[in-house]
Amino acid sequence: MGPRVRVGVIVGVHGVRGAVRIKSFTEEPADIGYYSPMEDEAGGTKFRLKVTGEVKGLVIATLEGIADRNAAEALKGTGLWVPRERLPGRLAEDEFLYSDLIGLVVEAVDGKRLGTVKAVADYGAGDVLDIKLEPKGDMMVPFTKDSVPEVDIAGGRLVVVPPVYAPDENEERNGGA
């Protein structure tokens, strides 16, 4: 099996006839239907999906073979994966798949290695890189041109401008200890 990309995740049920609510990771949420059939993360279960609507930023869909609420509820949390080759051709110069960013080496502007990209998330205010620092710790950086001026997928690295943190109130009271 070649590389795969997660295009969505089942986040809940909709109604009593087995419809599900899906958080779509496609640019246009309803476009997730174009990638049917999909499979779960293990690749053992295939899903034929039909988009029936959208509500509150989620896609409503029916899955072939799922006809009641209990069966749909059992799928909550299931990621929906497709082979990478089924995705559209070339991405624009400043477009990246989350899966391409995870695992990249993170360097500071001065070239010092900071760690690796552990995850990419969008909490509503834009994409954020979750970076596993070396030798320990984590750092979150907005995935913007200002904070991440260089992304070199082929070279397996990206450059970040680390955020400046205000000192912790307790540190100031304790004299920086």
Side-chain angles (χ1 to χ4, degrees):
M1 182 184 324
R4 298 180 311 146
V5 175
R6 189 169 70 147
V7 293
V9 63
I10 298 172
V11 296
V13 298
H14 184 81
V16 296
R17 296 189 180 144
V20 294
R21 291 181 292 130
I22 298 172
K23 169 127 176 85
S24 174
F25 303 137
T26 58
E27 188 171 6
E28 293 296 323
D31 287 352
I32 193 170
Y34 296 125
Y35 298 106
S36 184
M38 297 164 211
E39 50 192 37
D40 64 1
E41 185 171 8
T45 305
K46 292 211 183 299
F47 301 100
R48 291 202 177 277
L49 177 139
K50 180 180 179 190
V51 173
T52 59
E54 290 183 65
V55 63
K56 297 181 183 176
L58 300 174
V59 173
I60 306 300
T62 57
L63 302 173
E64 188 176 280
I66 304 297
D68 65 63
R69 185 176 182 88
N70 291 338
E73 186 72 39
L75 296 173
K76 188 174 178 180
T78 301
L80 302 171
W81 297 77
V82 297
R84 178 160 186 136
E85 61 267 9
R86 289 189 41 211
L87 297 178
R90 294 182 48 93
L91 297 171
E93 185 177 328
D94 287 343
E95 286 185 320
F96 307 96
L97 298 177
Y98 285 1
S99 58
D100 290 341
L101 299 173
I102 295 170
L104 291 182
V105 170
V106 178
E107 297 176 353
V109 178
D110 64 5
K112 178 183 175 200
R113 182 180 170 125
L114 298 174
T116 57
V117 177
K118 180 170 70 172
V120 185
D122 183 348
Y123 299 109
D127 296 332
V128 177
L129 299 178
D130 186 355
I131 299 167
K132 176 74 175 144
L133 297 174
E134 295 171 359
K136 65 179 183 173
D138 296 284
M139 174 175 64
M140 297 188 93
V141 176
F143 189 49
T144 64
K145 196 71 170 163
D146 289 338
S147 296
V148 186
E150 184 180 345
V151 177
D152 179 6
I153 299 288
R157 62 183 271 283
L158 56 79
V159 174
V160 300
V161 177
V164 177
Y165 294 101
D168 183 23
E169 241 179 61
N170 293 328
E171 284 183 27
E172 287 180 356
R173 277 190 229 140
N174 297 327

